[in-house]
Amino acid sequence: MTLKFTRRTALAAAAALPLAATARSASSASSAGSKAPASHTRSFKLGSFTVTALLDSSRPVGDSKAIFGGGASDAEFAETSAQNFIPADQAQFFFTPTLVDTGKEKILFDTGLGQGGIQMALAEVGLTPQDIDVVVITHMHPDHIGGMTTDGAETFSKARYVTGRQEYDFWHAQDEGHRIGDLMAQKVTPFAEKLSFLEDSGTVASGINAMASFGHTPGHMGYMLESDGQQLMLTADLANHYVWSFAHPEWEVKFDMDKEAATTSRRKILDMLASTRTPMIGYHMPFPAAGFVETRGSGFRFVPVSYQMMG
C-alpha cells in the first residue's frame, strides 16, 4: 500500500519532536506558496480521502513514570527512556483531533480541550466549525469533548454526532458531582437529539468503521479508515505515549480505567498494525501523530512519518 502526503501540507516545526520534514500550508496551496507554512495541521491522501491531523494543544508534563510506567521499576523506566533519547522525568503531551474529508462529508474525530486550538487548526486549512458535517467522539475524556461547546454555545452547530453506545451509557449513568459525567452532561448531552450510537464494527460513513479498544475507558473506540484499498487506523488513546506504551504495552497508564483490558487492547491492536503494516494516527502521538508500528522484542516501536510518505 502506498500512502502519499500532499505537497500543500505543513509540519509544525516547534511541536513535531521526531520529524524534520516540512510542506506547504494546505490553506496556501492555491496561492503559489506565498504564505508561511502552517504550524498546526498536516494533511495526506488515503485513497480518495483527505486526512488532516489538527494540533489542538501541546504541553510538557512531569512525573512521567507515575503516569506511564505502572509496574515498571525506576531502573527499567530510565533504561527504556535513555534508549529512546527522551528524559525519564518529563513527557510532552500532544492533543490531535483528526479531520477526514471523504469528498461527501467532513468528519471530525474528537474536539480537543475547548481552548480555541481546534478553531485555529481548522482555519489553517480554510475551514470553520460550521463546515464540519459529522463529529465522532472516540471517548468522553475532557480533552476529547472539551471543544464540543465554545463559550457555552455549540461549536459544530451544523454537525451530527456519533459515539459508542457503551461509552455514552457508562458516563451518562454517573451520579451528579462526577467530574467526567458532569462534563459530558454539559458538553454532549444537550445535543442528544443529534447523537447516534455505534457498537463494535459500526459504520460512521462508507469506509469508516468502529473498532472496539476498551480499557482506557469502558467504551473506548478506534476507527479504521479505508479508501481505494488503502487503510489507516485512528487509534485515539489506545497508547498514550509513543515510547513507553509501545515498548512496554503491559506498563500501566494512569489514565486507563481498566488497566488489564487496556493492556489487552493495546497489544492486540498494535500487533495487528505491525503485522499488516497499516499506518495509524494516535491522539497523543508527537504531532502530526501519524506513523507505523513495528515489533521490537516483546513490545513495539512507533515509527513516525517522514519524507517517504510525502507526494
Side-chain angles (χ1 to χ4, degrees), residues 4-13 16 19-29 33-44 124 287-288 305-307 309-311:
K4 286 190 174 183
F5 280 90
T6 60
R7 295 182 186 276
R8 62 183 182 175
T9 54
L11 174 64
L19 299 168
T22 58
R24 287 186 184 178
S25 163
S27 62
S28 65
S34 61
K35 295 181 180 179
S39 59
H40 297 83
T41 64
R42 188 170 179 181
S43 299
F44 56 93
E124 286 186 357
F287 188 77
V305 297
S306 62
Y307 68 89
M309 297 176 69
M310 297 176 69

Side-chain angles (χ1 to χ4, degrees), residues 90-110:
Q90 182 171 293
Q92 186 73 24
F93 279 26
F94 297 84
F95 305 86
T96 312
T98 300
L99 176 67
V100 179
D101 188 341
T102 68
K104 295 180 179 179
E105 293 180 306
K106 293 178 176 62
I107 303 173
L108 177 67
F109 289 81
D110 295 321

Side-chain angles (χ1 to χ4, degrees), residues 165-222:
R165 165 65 71 180
Q166 188 167 327
E167 181 76 359
Y168 182 88
D169 287 349
F170 176 84
W171 297 112
H172 186 66
Q174 301 304 307
D175 293 335
E176 186 176 352
H178 188 282
R179 183 176 70 95
I180 297 177
D182 286 354
L183 185 65
M184 193 186 83
Q186 174 191 344
K187 296 284 187 176
V188 180
T189 306
F191 315 119
E193 74 280 357
K194 299 171 65 176
L195 188 63
S196 59
F197 300 100
L198 289 177
E199 307 292 346
D200 187 22
S201 301
T203 299
V204 175
S206 180
I208 303 178
N209 295 308
M211 183 178 291
S213 50
F214 303 156
H216 181 66
T217 60
H220 180 274
M221 290 281 197

Side-chain angles (χ1 to χ4, degrees), residues 23 25 58 100 130 146 154 161 174 242-244 256 276 278 298:
S25 163
S58 180
V100 179
Q130 285 65 50
E154 184 179 9
Y161 305 108
Q174 301 304 307
Y242 81 106
V243 169
W244 300 311
D256 290 342
T276 60
T278 300
S298 61

